[in-house]
Amino acid sequence: MSLSAVCRRAVTVTAGVTALTLGLALPALAHVTINPGSAQQGGFTKVAFRVPNERDDASTSKIEVTFPSDHPLPFVSVKPLPGWDVKVTEGKLPKPVATEYGEITESVTKVTWSGGKIEPGQFQEFEVSMGALPKDTDHLVFPTTQTYTGGEVVKWADEPKADGSEPEHPAPTLKLTPASAEGDDHGHDEASAAPLTPSTTDAAPTVAAIAGTDSSDGTARLLGGAGLLVGLAGLVVGALGLRRGGRTS
């Protein structure tokens, strides 16, 4: 076999392996996720369910997100999305759940978006504000059903595995972390809630001090220049007086 034939065969085999690897990897990457993926326990948060379209010959036309009933969320609101109709479904819980806001017997069980389209090669984000997040669990699972225009239905409902590996159809999962000692339990934006620091409160006096120094320096320079002019004038007058005295004598 010639060297060129060997090279061609090596290139063909490499391309085939690469295509197979990509073919196996892409479906694992293209699944419904929740962003951001974590929030503080006891707080409020805004998340987006990010839905990619996985099909080349169909569009995503409906998304159903199921909310947890074992850790119900007292407050849920949905951001309108142009081109999509949204329906928030509430229902009775299997059993009442005690929270800091009182006993909850009903909560949001499902949010459904329909009427729009996620075309092939595109994705869409569906935003929800919710809270207060529970303090007695480290994650919340939101099983999601994705429906395509061709009638295909994909259920993203597999819970995280104990060994950390990813299941075939992982459900969007929000990790919950303990609230920080310095922050409150309501998840407010840190930038808007941050107290004034010493450097911030000292800014005005510092600027004022610098301005005062510049002003005094300018005044001193002005007075010094005026004194110099008066001195020069005196020298001129003196010189003229000497010249006149010499002529008179």
Side-chain angles (χ1 to χ4, degrees):
M1 184 181 294
S2 64
L3 180 60
S4 59
V6 172
C7 291
R8 286 196 300 271
R9 177 170 295 183
V11 170
T12 302
V13 172
T14 302
V17 172
T18 302
L20 178 60
T21 302
L22 291 175
L24 292 175
L26 286 177
L29 293 175
H31 52 251
V32 180
T33 57
I34 187 169
N35 297 279
S38 64
Q40 287 189 356
Q41 294 174 336
F44 288 75
T45 188
K46 184 187 76 171
V47 299
F49 293 94
R50 183 176 297 169
V51 182
N53 190 81
E54 294 186 304
R55 301 294 179 260
D56 295 329
D57 56 353
S59 301
T60 296
S61 58
K62 185 179 180 181
I63 294 293
E64 295 177 321
V65 178
T66 301
F67 280 63
S69 59
D70 55 343
H71 293 94
L73 300 169
F75 306 101
V76 175
S77 59
V78 181
K79 183 177 181 178
L81 184 62
W84 292 83
D85 298 321
V86 60
K87 179 182 179 182
V88 179
T89 303
E90 297 183 1
K92 286 187 174 296
L93 298 174
K95 61 179 181 179
V97 176
T99 71
E100 61 180 304
Y101 299 98
E103 189 177 76
I104 299 178
T105 58
E106 295 184 357
S107 71
V108 172
T109 58
K110 183 170 61 176
V111 178
T112 305
W113 288 268
S114 61
K117 283 186 179 181
I118 306 174
E119 303 288 350
Q122 299 179 357
F123 73 92
Q124 185 60 265
E125 290 187 335
F126 303 87
E127 294 184 320
V128 176
S129 176
M130 56 190 182
L133 302 175
K135 299 179 181 179
D136 57 349
T137 183
D138 61 0
H139 71 281
L140 293 175
V141 180
F142 298 85
T144 300
T145 301
Q146 182 176 12
T147 302
Y148 288 91
T149 51
E152 180 186 5
V153 176
V154 179
K155 294 184 178 295
W156 303 95
D158 297 340
E159 295 201 18
K161 293 184 177 181
D163 60 2
S165 61
E166 186 174 81
E168 183 177 359
H169 293 90
T173 302
L174 180 66
K175 295 181 180 179
L176 300 180
T177 59
S180 61
E182 297 179 356
D184 57 27
D185 290 338
H186 300 287
H188 296 304
D189 185 88
E190 293 182 2
S192 61
L196 292 176
T197 60
S199 60
T200 305
T201 55
D202 290 343
T206 302
V207 173
I210 293 174
T213 302
D214 291 343
S215 177
S216 61
D217 288 347
T219 303
R221 291 174 183 173
L222 179 61
L223 293 176
L228 181 60
L229 290 175
V230 172
L232 290 175
L235 291 175
V236 172
V237 172
L240 291 175
L242 290 174
R243 290 182 63 183
R244 289 176 181 175
R247 290 177 181 176
T248 304
S249 60

Short mmCIF file of all heavy atoms in Angstrom, two decimals, residues 43-78:
data_model
loop_
_atom_site.label_atom_id
_atom_site.label_comp_id
_atom_site.label_asym_id
_atom_site.label_seq_id
_atom_site.Cartn_x
_atom_site.Cartn_y
_atom_site.Cartn_z
N GLY A 43 -34.28 32.46 50.37
CA GLY A 43 -34.38 33.72 49.63
C GLY A 43 -35.34 33.64 48.46
O GLY A 43 -36.03 32.64 48.25
N PHE A 44 -35.37 34.72 47.68
CA PHE A 44 -36.14 34.79 46.45
C PHE A 44 -35.15 34.84 45.29
O PHE A 44 -34.05 35.35 45.43
CB PHE A 44 -37.03 36.03 46.43
CG PHE A 44 -38.20 35.95 47.37
CD1 PHE A 44 -38.03 36.10 48.74
CD2 PHE A 44 -39.47 35.72 46.88
CE1 PHE A 44 -39.10 36.02 49.61
CE2 PHE A 44 -40.56 35.64 47.75
CZ PHE A 44 -40.37 35.79 49.11
N THR A 45 -35.55 34.32 44.16
CA THR A 45 -34.65 34.31 43.02
C THR A 45 -35.42 34.40 41.72
O THR A 45 -36.63 34.09 41.67
CB THR A 45 -33.79 33.02 43.01
OG1 THR A 45 -32.78 33.12 42.00
CG2 THR A 45 -34.64 31.79 42.73
N LYS A 46 -34.74 34.84 40.68
CA LYS A 46 -35.30 34.83 39.33
C LYS A 46 -34.46 33.86 38.50
O LYS A 46 -33.24 33.96 38.49
CB LYS A 46 -35.24 36.22 38.70
CG LYS A 46 -35.91 36.26 37.31
CD LYS A 46 -35.70 37.59 36.62
CE LYS A 46 -34.29 37.72 36.06
NZ LYS A 46 -34.11 38.91 35.20
N VAL A 47 -35.12 32.93 37.85
CA VAL A 47 -34.42 31.94 37.05
C VAL A 47 -35.01 31.94 35.64
O VAL A 47 -36.10 32.47 35.39
CB VAL A 47 -34.54 30.53 37.66
CG1 VAL A 47 -33.93 30.49 39.05
CG2 VAL A 47 -36.00 30.07 37.70
N ALA A 48 -34.26 31.33 34.74
CA ALA A 48 -34.72 31.16 33.37
C ALA A 48 -34.58 29.69 32.99
O ALA A 48 -33.50 29.11 33.15
CB ALA A 48 -33.92 32.04 32.41
N PHE A 49 -35.67 29.11 32.51
CA PHE A 49 -35.60 27.75 31.98
C PHE A 49 -35.15 27.86 30.53
O PHE A 49 -35.88 28.36 29.68
CB PHE A 49 -36.96 27.07 32.10
CG PHE A 49 -37.38 26.81 33.53
CD1 PHE A 49 -38.17 27.72 34.21
CD2 PHE A 49 -36.93 25.68 34.20
CE1 PHE A 49 -38.54 27.50 35.53
CE2 PHE A 49 -37.30 25.44 35.52
CZ PHE A 49 -38.10 26.35 36.18
N ARG A 50 -33.94 27.39 30.27
CA ARG A 50 -33.35 27.52 28.93
C ARG A 50 -33.64 26.25 28.14
O ARG A 50 -33.24 25.15 28.50
CB ARG A 50 -31.84 27.75 29.04
CG ARG A 50 -31.14 27.97 27.70
CD ARG A 50 -29.69 28.30 27.92
NE ARG A 50 -29.55 29.55 28.66
CZ ARG A 50 -28.39 29.98 29.17
NH1 ARG A 50 -27.30 29.26 29.05
NH2 ARG A 50 -28.36 31.14 29.83
N VAL A 51 -34.35 26.44 27.01
CA VAL A 51 -34.82 25.29 26.21
C VAL A 51 -34.22 25.37 24.82
O VAL A 51 -34.59 26.24 24.02
CB VAL A 51 -36.36 25.28 26.14
CG1 VAL A 51 -36.84 24.06 25.35
CG2 VAL A 51 -36.97 25.31 27.53
N PRO A 52 -33.31 24.46 24.47
CA PRO A 52 -32.79 24.41 23.10
C PRO A 52 -33.67 23.49 22.24
O PRO A 52 -34.31 22.57 22.75
CB PRO A 52 -31.40 23.80 23.29
CG PRO A 52 -31.55 22.91 24.48
CD PRO A 52 -32.59 23.55 25.38
N ASN A 53 -33.73 23.76 20.95
CA ASN A 53 -34.45 22.88 20.02
C ASN A 53 -33.45 21.85 19.49
O ASN A 53 -32.43 22.20 18.90
CB ASN A 53 -35.04 23.69 18.87
CG ASN A 53 -35.99 22.86 18.03
OD1 ASN A 53 -37.15 22.68 18.38
ND2 ASN A 53 -35.50 22.33 16.92
N GLU A 54 -33.76 20.58 19.70
CA GLU A 54 -32.83 19.50 19.34
C GLU A 54 -33.11 18.87 17.98
O GLU A 54 -32.36 17.99 17.56
CB GLU A 54 -32.88 18.40 20.41
CG GLU A 54 -32.36 18.80 21.77
CD GLU A 54 -32.32 17.60 22.69
OE1 GLU A 54 -33.37 16.96 22.87
OE2 GLU A 54 -31.25 17.31 23.22
N ARG A 55 -34.16 19.28 17.33
CA ARG A 55 -34.55 18.62 16.08
C ARG A 55 -34.27 19.51 14.87
O ARG A 55 -34.42 20.74 14.95
CB ARG A 55 -36.04 18.25 16.12
CG ARG A 55 -36.41 17.32 17.28
CD ARG A 55 -35.75 15.96 17.13
NE ARG A 55 -36.09 15.10 18.26
CZ ARG A 55 -35.26 14.89 19.29
NH1 ARG A 55 -34.08 15.49 19.34
NH2 ARG A 55 -35.63 14.07 20.27
N ASP A 56 -33.91 18.87 13.77
CA ASP A 56 -33.65 19.61 12.53
C ASP A 56 -34.91 19.77 11.68
O ASP A 56 -34.95 20.60 10.77
CB ASP A 56 -32.57 18.89 11.70
CG ASP A 56 -31.22 18.87 12.40
OD1 ASP A 56 -30.94 19.81 13.16
OD2 ASP A 56 -30.46 17.89 12.19
N ASP A 57 -35.92 18.95 11.94
CA ASP A 57 -37.11 18.94 11.09
C ASP A 57 -38.38 19.34 11.84
O ASP A 57 -39.49 19.13 11.34
CB ASP A 57 -37.30 17.55 10.47
CG ASP A 57 -37.39 16.45 11.53
OD1 ASP A 57 -37.16 16.77 12.72
OD2 ASP A 57 -37.68 15.30 11.16
N ALA A 58 -38.24 19.90 13.06
CA ALA A 58 -39.42 20.30 13.82
C ALA A 58 -39.05 21.42 14.77
O ALA A 58 -37.88 21.61 15.12
CB ALA A 58 -39.99 19.11 14.59
N SER A 59 -40.06 22.17 15.19
CA SER A 59 -39.86 23.26 16.14
C SER A 59 -40.49 22.89 17.48
O SER A 59 -41.44 22.10 17.54
CB SER A 59 -40.51 24.56 15.63
OG SER A 59 -39.96 24.94 14.39
N THR A 60 -39.95 23.46 18.55
CA THR A 60 -40.55 23.27 19.87
C THR A 60 -41.74 24.22 19.98
O THR A 60 -41.60 25.43 19.76
CB THR A 60 -39.53 23.57 20.98
OG1 THR A 60 -38.47 22.62 20.91
CG2 THR A 60 -40.18 23.48 22.35
N SER A 61 -42.90 23.69 20.33
CA SER A 61 -44.12 24.50 20.35
C SER A 61 -44.76 24.60 21.73
O SER A 61 -45.68 25.39 21.92
CB SER A 61 -45.15 23.92 19.37
OG SER A 61 -45.45 22.57 19.71
N LYS A 62 -44.25 23.81 22.71
CA LYS A 62 -44.86 23.82 24.03
C LYS A 62 -43.86 23.37 25.09
O LYS A 62 -43.09 22.44 24.86
CB LYS A 62 -46.09 22.90 24.05
CG LYS A 62 -46.89 22.91 25.33
CD LYS A 62 -48.10 21.97 25.18
CE LYS A 62 -48.95 21.92 26.43
NZ LYS A 62 -50.10 20.99 26.29
N ILE A 63 -43.90 24.06 26.23
CA ILE A 63 -43.03 23.73 27.35
C ILE A 63 -43.87 23.69 28.62
O ILE A 63 -44.62 24.62 28.91
CB ILE A 63 -41.89 24.76 27.51
CG1 ILE A 63 -40.94 24.70 26.32
CG2 ILE A 63 -41.12 24.53 28.80
CD1 ILE A 63 -40.16 23.41 26.23
N GLU A 64 -43.76 22.59 29.37
CA GLU A 64 -44.47 22.45 30.64
C GLU A 64 -43.44 22.19 31.74
O GLU A 64 -42.69 21.22 31.68
CB GLU A 64 -45.46 21.28 30.60
CG GLU A 64 -46.60 21.48 29.62
CD GLU A 64 -47.52 20.27 29.57
OE1 GLU A 64 -47.01 19.12 29.62
OE2 GLU A 64 -48.73 20.46 29.46
N VAL A 65 -43.42 23.06 32.74
CA VAL A 65 -42.50 22.92 33.87
C VAL A 65 -43.31 22.58 35.11
O VAL A 65 -44.21 23.33 35.50
CB VAL A 65 -41.69 24.21 34.09
CG1 VAL A 65 -40.77 24.05 35.30
CG2 VAL A 65 -40.86 24.54 32.85
N THR A 66 -42.99 21.45 35.72
CA THR A 66 -43.68 21.02 36.94
C THR A 66 -42.91 21.50 38.17
O THR A 66 -41.70 21.32 38.26
CB THR A 66 -43.79 19.48 36.98
OG1 THR A 66 -44.51 19.04 35.82
CG2 THR A 66 -44.52 19.02 38.24
N PHE A 67 -43.64 22.12 39.10
CA PHE A 67 -43.03 22.65 40.32
C PHE A 67 -43.12 21.61 41.44
O PHE A 67 -44.08 20.83 41.50
CB PHE A 67 -43.69 23.96 40.72
CG PHE A 67 -43.19 25.15 39.93
CD1 PHE A 67 -43.38 25.22 38.56
CD2 PHE A 67 -42.52 26.18 40.56
CE1 PHE A 67 -42.91 26.30 37.84
CE2 PHE A 67 -42.04 27.27 39.85
CZ PHE A 67 -42.24 27.32 38.49
N PRO A 68 -42.15 21.63 42.35
CA PRO A 68 -42.13 20.62 43.41
C PRO A 68 -43.30 20.79 44.38
O PRO A 68 -43.65 21.90 44.75
CB PRO A 68 -40.78 20.87 44.12
CG PRO A 68 -40.43 22.29 43.79
CD PRO A 68 -40.98 22.54 42.42
N SER A 69 -43.88 19.65 44.78
CA SER A 69 -44.99 19.67 45.74
C SER A 69 -44.51 19.35 47.15
O SER A 69 -45.19 19.69 48.12
CB SER A 69 -46.08 18.66 45.32
OG SER A 69 -45.54 17.35 45.25
N ASP A 70 -43.33 18.70 47.26
CA ASP A 70 -42.81 18.41 48.59
C ASP A 70 -42.16 19.62 49.22
O ASP A 70 -42.03 19.71 50.45
CB ASP A 70 -41.82 17.24 48.53
CG ASP A 70 -40.70 17.49 47.54
OD1 ASP A 70 -40.85 18.40 46.68
OD2 ASP A 70 -39.68 16.79 47.61
N HIS A 71 -41.74 20.57 48.38
CA HIS A 71 -41.20 21.85 48.87
C HIS A 71 -41.88 22.97 48.07
O HIS A 71 -41.27 23.59 47.20
CB HIS A 71 -39.68 21.91 48.68
CG HIS A 71 -38.94 20.94 49.55
ND1 HIS A 71 -38.55 19.69 49.11
CD2 HIS A 71 -38.53 21.03 50.84
CE1 HIS A 71 -37.92 19.06 50.08
NE2 HIS A 71 -37.90 19.84 51.14
N PRO A 72 -43.15 23.23 48.34
CA PRO A 72 -43.90 24.21 47.55
C PRO A 72 -43.34 25.62 47.73
O PRO A 72 -42.80 25.97 48.77
CB PRO A 72 -45.32 24.10 48.11
CG PRO A 72 -45.13 23.60 49.50
CD PRO A 72 -43.96 22.67 49.44
N LEU A 73 -43.50 26.41 46.68
CA LEU A 73 -43.03 27.79 46.69
C LEU A 73 -44.24 28.72 46.86
O LEU A 73 -45.14 28.74 46.00
CB LEU A 73 -42.29 28.10 45.40
CG LEU A 73 -41.06 27.21 45.15
CD1 LEU A 73 -40.53 27.39 43.75
CD2 LEU A 73 -39.97 27.51 46.17
N PRO A 74 -44.28 29.51 47.93
CA PRO A 74 -45.45 30.35 48.21
C PRO A 74 -45.69 31.43 47.15
O PRO A 74 -46.83 31.82 46.90
CB PRO A 74 -45.12 30.99 49.56
CG PRO A 74 -44.08 30.10 50.17
CD PRO A 74 -43.30 29.57 49.02
N PHE A 75 -44.61 31.94 46.55
CA PHE A 75 -44.76 33.05 45.61
C PHE A 75 -44.09 32.70 44.28
O PHE A 75 -42.88 32.44 44.23
CB PHE A 75 -44.13 34.32 46.19
CG PHE A 75 -44.66 34.68 47.55
CD1 PHE A 75 -43.93 34.38 48.69
CD2 PHE A 75 -45.90 35.28 47.70
CE1 PHE A 75 -44.40 34.70 49.95
CE2 PHE A 75 -46.39 35.59 48.96
CZ PHE A 75 -45.64 35.30 50.10
N VAL A 76 -44.87 32.72 43.20
CA VAL A 76 -44.36 32.43 41.87
C VAL A 76 -44.98 33.44 40.90
O VAL A 76 -46.20 33.64 40.89
CB VAL A 76 -44.73 30.99 41.41
CG1 VAL A 76 -44.28 30.77 39.98
CG2 VAL A 76 -44.09 29.96 42.34
N SER A 77 -44.15 34.09 40.10
CA SER A 77 -44.64 35.00 39.07
C SER A 77 -43.86 34.75 37.79
O SER A 77 -42.70 34.32 37.82
CB SER A 77 -44.51 36.47 39.50
OG SER A 77 -43.15 36.78 39.78
N VAL A 78 -44.50 35.01 36.67
CA VAL A 78 -43.94 34.67 35.36
C VAL A 78 -43.76 35.94 34.53
O VAL A 78 -44.66 36.80 34.49
CB VAL A 78 -44.86 33.68 34.62
CG1 VAL A 78 -44.26 33.31 33.27
CG2 VAL A 78 -45.07 32.42 35.45
#
